[in-house]
Coordinates of all heavy atoms in Angstrom, one line a residue:
M515 N 107.7 51.5 16.7 CA 106.8 52.4 16.1 C 106.8 53.8 16.7 O 106.6 53.9 17.8 CB 105.3 51.8 16.1 CG 105.0 50.8 15.2 SD 104.4 51.2 13.6 CE 102.8 51.8 14.0
S516 N 106.9 54.8 15.9 CA 106.8 56.1 16.5 C 105.3 56.4 16.6 O 104.4 55.7 16.1 CB 107.5 57.0 15.4 OG 106.9 57.1 14.3
D517 N 104.9 57.4 17.1 CA 103.7 57.9 17.4 C 103.4 59.0 16.5 O 103.8 60.2 16.6 CB 103.5 58.5 18.9 CG 102.0 58.9 19.3 OD1 101.1 58.5 18.4 OD2 101.9 59.7 20.1
P518 N 102.6 58.8 15.3 CA 102.5 59.8 14.3 C 101.5 60.9 14.9 O 100.6 60.6 15.6 CB 102.0 59.0 13.1 CG 101.3 58.0 13.9 CD 102.0 57.6 15.0
A519 N 101.8 62.1 14.3 CA 100.9 63.2 14.7 C 99.4 63.0 14.1 O 98.4 63.4 14.6 CB 101.5 64.5 14.3
V520 N 99.4 62.4 12.8 CA 98.2 62.2 12.3 C 98.3 60.9 11.6 O 99.2 60.3 11.2 CB 97.8 63.3 11.2 CG1 97.5 64.6 11.8 CG2 98.8 63.2 10.0
S521 N 97.1 60.2 11.5 CA 97.1 58.9 10.7 C 96.2 59.1 9.5 O 95.1 59.6 9.5 CB 96.3 57.8 11.8 OG 96.0 56.7 11.0
P522 N 96.6 58.5 8.3 CA 95.8 58.8 7.1 C 94.5 58.2 7.1 O 93.6 58.6 6.4 CB 96.8 58.3 6.0 CG 97.7 57.4 6.8 CD 97.9 57.9 8.1
S523 N 94.4 57.3 7.8 CA 93.1 56.4 7.8 C 92.1 56.8 8.9 O 91.0 56.2 9.1 CB 93.3 55.0 7.9 OG 93.9 54.7 9.1
C524 N 92.4 57.8 9.5 CA 91.6 58.2 10.8 C 90.6 59.4 10.5 O 91.1 60.4 10.0 CB 92.6 58.6 12.0 SG 91.6 59.2 13.4
E525 N 89.5 59.2 10.7 CA 88.4 60.2 10.5 C 88.6 61.5 11.4 O 88.1 62.5 11.0 CB 87.0 59.8 10.3 CG 86.4 59.3 11.6 CD 85.0 58.8 11.3 OE1 84.9 57.5 10.9 OE2 84.1 59.5 11.6
L526 N 89.1 61.2 12.6 CA 89.3 62.4 13.5 C 90.5 63.2 13.1 O 90.5 64.5 13.3 CB 89.3 61.9 15.0 CG 88.2 61.3 15.4 CD1 88.4 60.8 17.0 CD2 87.0 62.2 15.5
C527 N 91.4 62.5 12.5 CA 92.6 63.3 12.0 C 92.2 64.2 10.7 O 92.6 65.1 10.6 CB 93.7 62.5 11.6 SG 94.5 61.6 13.0
E528 N 91.4 63.6 10.0 CA 90.8 64.2 8.7 C 90.1 65.5 9.2 O 90.2 66.5 8.5 CB 89.8 63.2 8.0 CG 89.5 63.7 6.8 CD 88.5 62.7 6.0 OE1 88.7 61.5 6.3 OE2 87.7 63.1 5.2
A529 N 89.4 65.5 10.3 CA 88.7 66.8 10.8 C 87.8 67.4 9.8 O 87.9 68.6 9.6 CB 89.6 67.8 11.5
A530 N 87.0 66.6 9.0 CA 86.2 67.1 8.0 C 85.1 68.0 8.6 O 84.5 67.7 9.7 CB 85.5 66.0 7.2
E531 N 84.8 69.1 8.0 CA 83.8 70.1 8.5 C 82.4 69.9 8.0 O 82.0 70.7 7.2 CB 84.3 71.5 8.3 CG 85.5 71.9 9.3 CD 85.9 73.4 9.0 OE1 84.9 74.1 9.2 OE2 86.9 73.6 8.7
F532 N 81.8 68.8 8.3 CA 80.4 68.6 7.9 C 79.3 68.8 8.8 O 78.2 68.7 8.8 CB 80.3 67.2 7.1 CG 80.9 66.1 7.8 CD1 80.6 65.8 9.1 CD2 82.0 65.4 7.2 CE1 81.2 64.7 9.7 CE2 82.6 64.4 7.9 CZ 82.2 64.1 9.0
T533 N 79.7 69.2 10.2 CA 78.9 69.5 11.2 C 79.2 70.9 11.7 O 80.1 71.5 11.2 CB 79.0 68.5 12.3 OG1 80.3 68.4 12.8 CG2 78.6 67.1 11.8
R534 N 78.3 71.4 12.7 CA 78.5 72.6 13.4 C 79.9 72.7 14.1 O 80.2 71.7 15.0 CB 77.4 72.9 14.2 CG 77.7 74.2 14.9 CD 76.4 74.4 15.8 NE 76.6 75.6 16.7 CZ 75.9 76.0 17.8 NH1 74.9 75.0 18.2 NH2 76.1 77.1 18.4
W535 N 80.8 73.6 13.9 CA 82.0 73.7 14.7 C 81.9 74.7 15.8 O 81.4 75.9 15.5 CB 83.2 74.1 13.7 CG 83.6 72.8 13.2 CD1 83.0 71.8 12.5 CD2 85.1 72.3 13.1 NE1 83.8 70.8 12.0 CE2 85.2 71.1 12.4 CE3 86.3 72.9 13.6 CZ2 86.3 70.3 12.2 CZ3 87.5 72.2 13.4 CH2 87.4 70.9 12.7
F536 N 82.3 74.5 17.0 CA 82.2 75.4 18.2 C 83.6 76.1 18.3 O 83.6 77.2 18.7 CB 81.9 74.7 19.4 CG 80.5 74.0 19.3 CD1 80.5 72.8 19.0 CD2 79.4 74.8 19.6 CE1 79.1 72.2 19.0 CE2 78.2 74.2 19.5 CZ 78.1 72.9 19.1
H537 N 84.7 75.4 18.1 CA 86.0 75.9 18.5 C 87.0 75.2 17.8 O 86.9 74.0 17.4 CB 86.2 75.8 20.0 CG 87.6 76.1 20.5 ND1 87.9 77.5 20.8 CD2 88.6 75.4 20.8 CE1 89.1 77.4 21.1 NE2 89.6 76.1 21.2
R538 N 88.1 75.9 17.5 CA 89.3 75.2 17.0 C 90.6 76.0 17.4 O 90.5 77.2 17.5 CB 89.3 75.0 15.5 CG 89.9 76.2 14.8 CD 89.5 76.3 13.3 NE 88.0 76.2 13.2 CZ 87.3 75.7 11.9 NH1 87.9 75.2 11.0 NH2 86.0 75.8 12.0
D539 N 91.6 75.3 17.7 CA 92.9 75.8 18.1 C 94.0 74.8 17.8 O 93.7 73.8 17.2 CB 93.0 76.4 19.5 CG 92.8 75.3 20.5 OD1 93.2 74.1 20.5 OD2 92.2 75.6 21.6
D540 N 95.2 75.1 18.3 CA 96.4 74.2 17.8 C 96.3 72.9 18.7 O 96.9 71.9 18.4 CB 97.7 75.0 18.2 CG 98.0 75.9 17.2 OD1 97.3 76.0 16.2 OD2 98.8 76.9 17.5
T541 N 95.6 72.8 19.8 CA 95.5 71.6 20.6 C 94.3 70.7 20.4 O 94.4 69.5 20.4 CB 95.4 72.2 22.2 OG1 96.5 73.0 22.4 CG2 95.4 70.9 23.1
C542 N 93.3 71.3 20.0 CA 92.0 70.5 19.8 C 91.0 71.3 18.9 O 91.1 72.5 18.6 CB 91.2 70.4 21.1 SG 90.7 71.7 22.0
W543 N 90.0 70.6 18.4 CA 88.8 71.2 18.0 C 87.5 70.7 18.6 O 87.5 69.5 19.1 CB 88.7 71.2 16.4 CG 89.1 69.8 15.8 CD1 90.2 69.1 15.5 CD2 88.0 68.7 15.4 NE1 90.0 67.9 15.1 CE2 88.8 67.6 14.9 CE3 86.5 68.6 15.4 CZ2 87.9 66.4 14.5 CZ3 85.9 67.6 15.0 CH2 86.7 66.5 14.5
V544 N 86.3 71.4 18.6 CA 85.2 71.0 19.1 C 84.1 71.2 18.1 O 83.9 72.2 17.5 CB 84.9 71.9 20.4 CG1 83.6 71.4 21.1 CG2 86.0 71.9 21.4
A545 N 83.3 70.2 17.9 CA 82.2 70.2 16.8 C 81.1 69.2 17.3 O 81.3 68.5 18.3 CB 82.8 69.7 15.5
E546 N 80.0 69.4 16.7 CA 79.0 68.4 16.8 C 79.4 67.1 16.2 O 79.9 67.0 15.1 CB 77.8 68.8 16.0 CG 76.5 69.3 16.8 CD 75.5 69.9 15.8 OE1 75.3 69.7 14.7 OE2 74.9 70.9 16.5
C547 N 79.2 66.0 17.1 CA 79.7 64.8 16.5 C 78.8 64.2 15.3 O 77.5 64.3 15.4 CB 79.4 63.6 17.7 SG 79.7 62.1 17.2
D548 N 79.4 63.7 14.3 CA 78.6 63.3 13.1 C 77.7 62.2 13.4 O 76.7 62.0 12.8 CB 79.8 62.8 12.1 CG 79.2 62.5 10.8 OD1 78.1 63.1 10.3 OD2 79.5 61.5 10.2
S549 N 77.9 61.3 14.4 CA 77.2 60.1 14.6 C 76.1 60.4 15.6 O 75.0 59.8 15.6 CB 77.9 59.0 15.0 OG 79.3 59.1 15.4
C550 N 76.3 61.2 16.7 CA 75.3 61.3 17.7 C 74.9 62.8 18.0 O 74.0 63.0 18.8 CB 75.8 60.6 19.0 SG 77.2 61.5 19.7
D551 N 75.4 63.7 17.3 CA 75.1 65.1 17.4 C 75.4 65.8 18.7 O 75.0 66.9 19.0 CB 73.4 65.3 17.3 CG 73.1 65.0 15.8 OD1 74.0 65.1 14.9 OD2 71.9 64.8 15.5
D552 N 76.0 65.1 19.7 CA 76.5 65.7 20.9 C 77.7 66.5 20.6 O 78.5 66.1 19.8 CB 76.6 64.6 21.9 CG 75.4 64.1 22.6 OD1 74.4 64.9 22.4 OD2 75.3 63.0 23.1
P553 N 78.0 67.5 21.4 CA 79.3 68.2 21.3 C 80.4 67.2 21.5 O 80.4 66.5 22.5 CB 79.2 69.4 22.3 CG 77.9 69.6 22.5 CD 77.2 68.1 22.5
M554 N 81.6 67.4 20.8 CA 82.6 66.4 20.9 C 84.0 67.3 20.7 O 84.0 68.1 19.9 CB 82.6 65.4 19.9 CG 83.7 64.5 19.7 SD 83.4 63.3 18.3 CE 83.8 64.5 16.9
V555 N 84.9 67.1 21.7 CA 86.3 67.7 21.6 C 87.2 66.5 21.1 O 87.3 65.4 21.4 CB 86.6 68.2 22.8 CG1 86.8 67.2 24.1 CG2 88.0 69.0 22.7
V556 N 88.0 67.0 20.1 CA 88.9 66.1 19.6 C 90.4 66.7 19.6 O 90.6 67.8 19.3 CB 88.6 65.8 18.0 CG1 89.7 64.9 17.4 CG2 87.3 65.3 17.9
W557 N 91.4 65.9 20.0 CA 92.7 66.2 20.2 C 93.4 66.3 18.8 O 93.0 65.6 17.8 CB 93.4 65.1 20.9 CG 94.8 65.5 21.4 CD1 95.4 66.7 21.7 CD2 95.9 64.5 21.9 NE1 96.7 66.6 22.2 CE2 97.0 65.3 22.2 CE3 96.0 63.2 21.9 CZ2 98.2 64.9 22.7 CZ3 97.2 62.7 22.3 CH2 98.3 63.4 22.7
R558 N 94.2 67.4 18.6 CA 94.8 67.5 17.3 C 95.9 66.4 16.9 O 96.4 66.3 15.8 CB 95.5 68.8 17.3 CG 94.7 70.0 17.1 CD 94.1 70.2 15.7 NE 93.5 71.5 15.5 CZ 92.8 71.8 14.5 NH1 92.5 70.9 13.5 NH2 92.2 73.0 14.4
H559 N 96.2 65.5 18.0 CA 97.3 64.6 17.9 C 96.7 63.2 17.9 O 95.9 62.7 18.5 CB 98.2 64.7 19.1 CG 99.5 63.9 18.9 ND1 100.6 64.5 18.6 CD2 99.8 62.7 19.3 CE1 101.6 63.5 18.6 NE2 101.0 62.4 19.2
H560 N 97.2 62.4 16.8 CA 96.6 61.0 16.9 C 97.3 60.2 17.9 O 98.5 59.8 17.8 CB 96.8 60.4 15.4 CG 96.3 59.0 15.3 ND1 94.9 59.0 14.9 CD2 96.6 57.8 15.5 CE1 94.5 57.7 14.9 NE2 95.6 57.0 15.2
G561 N 96.6 59.9 19.0 CA 97.0 59.2 20.0 C 96.0 59.2 21.2 O 95.0 59.7 21.1
T562 N 96.5 58.5 22.3 CA 95.5 58.5 23.4 C 95.8 59.0 24.7 O 95.2 58.9 25.7 CB 95.0 57.0 23.6 OG1 96.4 56.3 24.0 CG2 94.6 56.3 22.4
E563 N 97.0 59.7 24.7 CA 97.6 60.1 26.0 C 97.9 61.6 26.1 O 99.1 62.0 26.1 CB 98.8 59.3 26.5 CG 98.4 57.9 26.7 CD 99.5 57.0 27.3 OE1 100.7 57.5 27.1 OE2 99.3 55.9 28.0
P564 N 97.0 62.6 25.9 CA 97.4 63.9 26.1 C 97.8 64.2 27.4 O 97.7 63.6 28.4 CB 96.0 64.7 25.8 CG 94.9 63.6 26.0 CD 95.4 62.3 25.8
S565 N 98.8 65.3 27.5 CA 99.3 65.7 28.9 C 98.1 66.2 29.7 O 97.0 66.6 29.3 CB 100.4 66.8 28.6 OG 99.7 68.0 28.2
A566 N 98.4 66.4 31.1 CA 97.4 67.0 31.9 C 97.0 68.3 31.5 O 95.9 68.7 31.5 CB 97.9 67.1 33.3
D567 N 98.0 69.1 31.0 CA 97.7 70.5 30.5 C 96.7 70.5 29.4 O 95.8 71.2 29.2 CB 98.9 71.3 30.2 CG 99.6 71.8 31.3 OD1 99.1 71.7 32.4 OD2 100.8 72.3 31.2
E568 N 97.1 69.6 28.5 CA 96.2 69.5 27.2 C 94.7 69.0 27.5 O 93.7 69.5 27.1 CB 96.9 68.5 26.3 CG 98.1 69.2 25.5 CD 98.8 68.2 24.7 OE1 98.9 67.0 25.2 OE2 99.3 68.5 23.7
L569 N 94.7 67.9 28.5 CA 93.5 67.6 29.0 C 92.6 68.6 29.6 O 91.4 68.7 29.2 CB 93.6 66.4 30.0 CG 93.6 64.9 29.5 CD1 94.0 64.1 30.7 CD2 92.3 64.6 28.8
A570 N 93.1 69.4 30.5 CA 92.4 70.5 31.0 C 91.9 71.5 30.1 O 90.7 71.9 30.2 CB 93.2 71.1 32.2
H571 N 92.9 71.8 29.2 CA 92.4 72.7 28.1 C 91.2 72.2 27.3 O 90.3 72.9 27.0 CB 93.5 73.0 27.1 CG 93.3 73.6 25.9 ND1 93.5 75.1 25.8 CD2 92.8 73.3 24.7 CE1 93.1 75.5 24.5 NE2 92.7 74.3 23.9
M572 N 91.2 71.0 26.9 CA 90.3 70.4 26.0 C 88.9 70.3 26.8 O 87.9 70.5 26.2 CB 90.7 69.0 25.5 CG 92.0 69.2 24.4 SD 92.3 67.6 23.5 CE 93.1 66.6 24.8
K573 N 89.0 69.9 27.9 CA 87.7 69.7 28.8 C 87.1 71.0 29.0 O 85.9 71.3 28.9 CB 88.0 69.0 30.2 CG 88.3 67.6 29.9 CD 88.5 66.9 31.2 CE 88.8 65.4 31.0 NZ 89.0 64.5 32.1
Q574 N 88.0 72.2 29.2 CA 87.5 73.4 29.2 C 86.6 74.0 28.0 O 85.5 74.4 27.9 CB 88.6 74.5 29.5 CG 88.2 75.9 29.7 CD 87.0 76.0 30.9 OE1 87.0 75.3 31.9 NE2 86.2 77.0 30.6
R575 N 87.2 73.6 26.8 CA 86.6 74.0 25.5 C 85.5 73.3 25.2 O 84.4 73.7 24.8 CB 87.6 73.8 24.4 CG 89.0 74.4 24.4 CD 88.9 75.9 24.1 NE 88.5 76.8 25.2 CZ 89.4 77.1 26.2 NH1 90.6 76.7 26.1 NH2 89.0 78.0 27.1
L576 N 85.4 72.0 25.8 CA 84.2 71.1 25.6 C 83.2 71.8 26.6 O 82.0 71.7 26.1 CB 84.5 69.7 26.0 CG 83.3 68.7 25.9 CD1 82.8 68.6 24.4 CD2 83.6 67.4 26.3
T577 N 83.5 72.1 27.7 CA 82.5 72.8 28.7 C 81.8 74.0 28.1 O 80.5 74.1 28.2 CB 83.3 73.0 30.0 OG1 83.7 71.8 30.6 CG2 82.2 73.7 30.8
E578 N 82.6 74.8 27.4 CA 82.1 76.0 26.8 C 80.9 75.6 25.7 O 80.0 76.2 25.7 CB 83.2 76.9 26.2 CG 84.1 77.4 27.4 CD 85.2 78.0 26.8 OE1 85.5 77.9 25.6 OE2 86.2 78.3 27.6
A579 N 81.4 74.6 24.9 CA 80.4 74.3 23.9 C 79.1 73.6 24.6 O 78.0 73.8 24.1 CB 81.0 73.4 22.9
A580 N 79.4 72.7 25.5 CA 78.3 72.1 26.0 C 77.4 73.0 26.8 O 76.0 72.8 26.7 CB 78.7 71.0 27.1
E581 N 77.9 74.1 27.5 CA 76.9 75.0 28.1 C 76.2 75.8 27.1 O 75.0 76.2 27.3 CB 77.8 75.9 29.0 CG 78.2 75.2 30.2 CD 79.2 76.1 31.1 OE1 79.7 77.1 30.6 OE2 79.4 75.6 32.2
E582 N 76.7 76.0 25.9 CA 76.1 76.7 24.8 C 74.8 75.9 24.3 O 73.8 76.3 24.0 CB 77.1 77.0 23.8 CG 76.5 77.9 22.5 CD 77.5 78.2 21.5 OE1 78.7 78.3 21.8 OE2 77.2 78.2 20.3
V583 N 75.1 74.6 24.2 CA 74.1 73.7 23.7 C 73.1 73.3 24.5 O 71.9 73.2 24.4 CB 74.9 72.4 23.0 CG1 73.8 71.3 22.7 CG2 75.7 72.8 21.8
F584 N 73.5 72.9 25.7 CA 72.5 72.3 26.7 C 72.0 73.2 27.8 O 71.0 72.9 28.4 CB 73.3 71.2 27.5 CG 73.8 70.0 26.6 CD1 75.1 69.5 26.9 CD2 73.0 69.5 25.7 CE1 75.4 68.3 26.0 CE2 73.4 68.5 24.8 CZ 74.6 67.8 25.0
G585 N 72.6 74.5 27.8 CA 72.1 75.5 28.8 C 72.1 75.0 30.2 O 73.1 74.5 30.7
D586 N 71.0 74.9 30.9 CA 70.9 74.6 32.2 C 70.7 73.1 32.4 O 70.7 72.7 33.6 CB 69.7 75.3 32.9 CG 69.8 76.7 33.0 OD1 71.0 77.2 33.1 OD2 68.9 77.4 33.1
T587 N 70.7 72.4 31.4 CA 70.4 70.7 31.5 C 71.7 70.3 32.0 O 72.9 70.6 31.6 CB 70.0 70.2 30.2 OG1 68.9 71.0 29.6 CG2 69.7 68.7 30.3
A588 N 71.7 69.3 33.0 CA 72.9 68.6 33.5 C 73.5 67.8 32.3 O 72.8 67.1 31.7 CB 72.5 67.8 34.7
W589 N 74.8 67.8 32.3 CA 75.5 67.0 31.2 C 76.7 66.4 31.9 O 77.2 67.0 33.0 CB 75.8 67.8 30.0 CG 76.6 69.0 30.3 CD1 76.3 70.2 30.7 CD2 78.1 69.0 30.3 NE1 77.4 71.1 30.9 CE2 78.5 70.4 30.5 CE3 79.1 68.1 29.8 CZ2 79.8 70.8 30.6 CZ3 80.4 68.5 29.8 CH2 80.7 69.9 30.1
R590 N 77.5 65.6 31.4 CA 78.7 65.0 31.8 C 79.7 64.8 30.7 O 79.2 64.6 29.5 CB 78.4 63.7 32.6 CG 77.8 62.7 31.7 CD 77.3 61.5 32.5 NE 76.6 60.7 31.7 CZ 77.0 59.7 30.8 NH1 78.3 59.6 30.7 NH2 76.2 59.1 30.0
I591 N 80.9 64.7 30.9 CA 82.0 64.4 29.9 C 82.0 62.9 29.8 O 82.2 62.2 30.8 CB 83.3 65.0 30.3 CG1 83.2 66.5 30.2 CG2 84.4 64.4 29.3 CD1 84.6 67.2 30.6
D592 N 81.9 62.3 28.6 CA 82.0 60.9 28.4 C 83.3 60.7 27.5 O 83.4 61.1 26.4 CB 80.9 60.5 27.6 CG 80.8 59.0 27.1 OD1 81.8 58.4 27.6 OD2 80.0 58.6 26.4
E593 N 84.3 60.0 28.2 CA 85.6 59.8 27.5 C 85.7 58.5 26.9 O 86.8 58.0 26.4 CB 86.8 60.0 28.5 CG 86.8 61.5 29.0 CD 88.0 61.8 29.8 OE1 89.2 61.3 29.5 OE2 87.9 62.2 31.0
V594 N 84.6 57.8 26.9 CA 84.6 56.4 26.3 C 84.7 56.5 24.8 O 84.0 57.0 24.2 CB 83.4 55.5 26.7 CG1 83.5 54.2 26.1 CG2 83.3 55.4 28.3
R595 N 85.8 55.8 24.2 CA 85.9 55.9 22.8 C 85.3 54.7 22.1 O 86.3 53.7 22.1 CB 87.4 56.2 22.5 CG 87.9 57.6 23.0 CD 89.3 57.8 22.6 NE 90.2 56.9 23.0 CZ 90.8 57.0 24.3 NH1 90.5 58.0 25.1 NH2 91.7 56.2 24.7
R596 N 84.2 54.6 21.7 CA 83.6 53.3 21.2 C 84.0 53.1 19.8 O 84.4 51.9 19.4 CB 82.1 53.5 21.2 CG 81.6 53.5 22.6 CD 80.0 53.7 22.7 NE 79.6 54.0 24.2 CZ 79.7 55.0 24.8 NH1 80.3 56.1 24.2 NH2 79.2 55.1 26.1
T597 N 83.9 54.0 18.9 CA 84.1 53.7 17.5 C 85.7 54.0 17.1 O 86.2 53.5 16.1 CB 83.3 54.5 16.5 OG1 83.4 55.8 16.9 CG2 81.8 54.0 16.7
I598 N 86.4 55.0 17.7 CA 87.8 55.3 17.3 C 88.6 55.3 18.6 O 88.9 56.4 19.2 CB 87.8 56.7 16.5 CG1 86.7 56.6 15.3 CG2 89.2 56.9 16.0 CD1 86.7 58.0 14.7
P599 N 89.0 53.9 18.9 CA 89.6 54.0 20.3 C 91.0 54.5 20.3 O 91.7 54.8 21.4 CB 89.7 52.5 20.6 CG 89.6 51.9 19.2 CD 88.8 52.7 18.5
D600 N 91.7 54.8 19.1 CA 93.2 55.0 19.1 C 93.4 56.6 18.9 O 94.5 57.0 18.7 CB 93.9 54.2 18.1 CG 93.3 54.4 16.8 OD1 92.2 55.0 16.5 OD2 94.0 54.0 15.8
H601 N 92.4 57.4 19.0 CA 92.4 58.8 18.8 C 91.7 59.5 20.0 O 90.5 59.3 19.9 CB 92.1 59.3 17.5 CG 92.3 60.7 17.1 ND1 92.8 61.1 16.0 CD2 92.3 61.8 18.1 CE1 92.9 62.5 16.0 NE2 92.7 62.9 17.3
W602 N 92.4 60.2 20.8 CA 91.7 60.8 22.0 C 90.5 61.8 21.6 O 90.8 62.7 20.9 CB 92.6 61.4 23.0 CG 92.0 61.8 24.2 CD1 92.0 60.9 25.4 CD2 91.2 62.9 24.7 NE1 91.3 61.5 26.4 CE2 90.8 62.8 26.0 CE3 90.7 64.0 23.9 CZ2 89.9 63.7 26.7 CZ3 90.0 65.1 24.6 CH2 89.5 64.8 25.9
H603 N 89.3 61.6 22.1 CA 88.2 62.5 21.9 C 87.2 62.3 23.0 O 87.3 61.1 23.7 CB 87.6 62.4 20.6 CG 86.9 61.0 20.3 ND1 87.6 60.0 20.0 CD2 85.6 60.7 20.4 CE1 86.8 58.9 19.8 NE2 85.6 59.3 20.0
A604 N 86.4 63.2 23.3 CA 85.4 63.1 24.4 C 84.2 63.8 24.0 O 84.1 64.8 23.2 CB 85.9 63.8 25.7
H605 N 83.1 63.2 24.4 CA 81.7 63.8 24.2 C 81.1 64.4 25.4 O 81.4 64.1 26.5 CB 80.6 62.6 23.8 CG 80.8 62.1 22.5 ND1 81.8 61.0 22.3 CD2 80.1 62.3 21.3 CE1 81.7 60.8 20.9 NE2 80.6 61.4 20.3
A606 N 80.4 65.5 25.3 CA 79.4 66.0 26.3 C 78.1 65.4 26.1 O 77.5 65.5 25.1 CB 79.3 67.6 26.2
R607 N 77.6 64.7 27.2 CA 76.4 64.1 27.1 C 75.4 64.4 28.0 O 75.8 64.6 29.3 CB 76.5 62.5 27.0 CG 77.4 62.1 26.0 CD 77.1 60.6 25.9 NE 78.1 59.8 25.0 CZ 78.1 59.8 23.8 NH1 77.1 60.4 23.0 NH2 79.1 59.2 23.0
I608 N 74.1 64.7 27.9 CA 73.2 64.8 28.8 C 72.6 63.4 29.2 O 72.6 62.5 28.4 CB 72.0 65.8 28.4 CG1 71.5 65.2 27.1 CG2 72.3 67.2 28.3 CD1 70.1 66.1 26.7
D609 N 72.2 63.3 30.4 CA 71.7 62.1 30.9 C 70.1 62.0 30.4 O 69.2 62.6 31.2 CB 71.8 62.0 32.4 CG 71.5 60.6 32.9 OD1 70.8 59.8 32.0 OD2 72.0 60.2 34.0
R610 N 69.8 61.5 29.4 CA 68.5 61.6 28.7 C 67.4 60.8 29.5 O 66.4 61.0 29.5 CB 68.5 61.1 27.3 CG 69.4 62.1 26.4 CD 69.4 61.5 25.0 NE 69.9 62.5 24.2 CZ 71.2 62.7 23.8 NH1 72.1 61.8 24.5 NH2 71.7 63.6 23.1
W611 N 67.8 59.8 30.3 CA 67.0 59.0 31.1 C 66.7 59.7 32.4 O 65.3 59.7 32.7 CB 67.5 57.7 31.4 CG 67.9 57.0 30.1 CD1 69.0 56.8 29.5 CD2 67.0 56.4 29.2 NE1 69.0 56.1 28.3 CE2 67.6 55.9 28.1 CE3 65.5 56.4 29.1 CZ2 67.0 55.3 27.0 CZ3 64.9 55.7 28.0 CH2 65.6 55.2 27.0
S612 N 67.6 60.4 33.1 CA 67.1 61.0 34.4 C 66.1 62.1 34.2 O 65.4 62.4 35.2 CB 68.4 61.5 35.1 OG 68.9 62.4 34.4
S613 N 66.1 62.7 33.0 CA 65.3 63.8 32.7 C 63.8 63.4 32.8 O 62.9 64.4 32.9 CB 65.6 64.6 31.5 OG 65.5 63.8 30.3
F614 N 63.5 62.2 32.7 CA 62.2 61.7 32.8 C 61.6 61.2 34.1 O 60.5 60.9 34.3 CB 61.9 60.7 31.6 CG 62.1 61.0 30.3 CD1 63.3 60.6 29.5 CD2 61.1 61.8 29.6 CE1 63.4 61.0 28.2 CE2 61.3 62.2 28.4 CZ 62.5 61.9 27.7
S615 N 62.5 61.1 35.0 CA 62.1 60.7 36.3 C 61.6 61.7 37.3 O 61.7 62.8 36.9 CB 63.4 60.0 36.9 OG 64.3 61.0 37.2
Ligands
ZN1055 ZN1 79.2 60.8 18.9
ZN1056 ZN1 93.5 60.3 14.3

């Protein structure tokens, strides 16, 4: 099996613009996640192993969107892919529980 650049059945490959978009380029796009509303960076390539350069680029773009959304609130990059495990993406999440302590 070759590694296709896009998969016809993958909603991240589809990249439908039904939420707020922060950024797009040839490597990735950053938008509000359709399911949880947190900023999410999505690789332009259908697969799970971006290069170190691409990873650094995507995390930087996600950081810019997260700082715009969350401001001074602490947040972290969540790389766990729960619903679409075969296409690399990452969320920026605030720790909603620690803010109450
Ligand atoms: Zn989400
Ligand atoms: Zn995909």
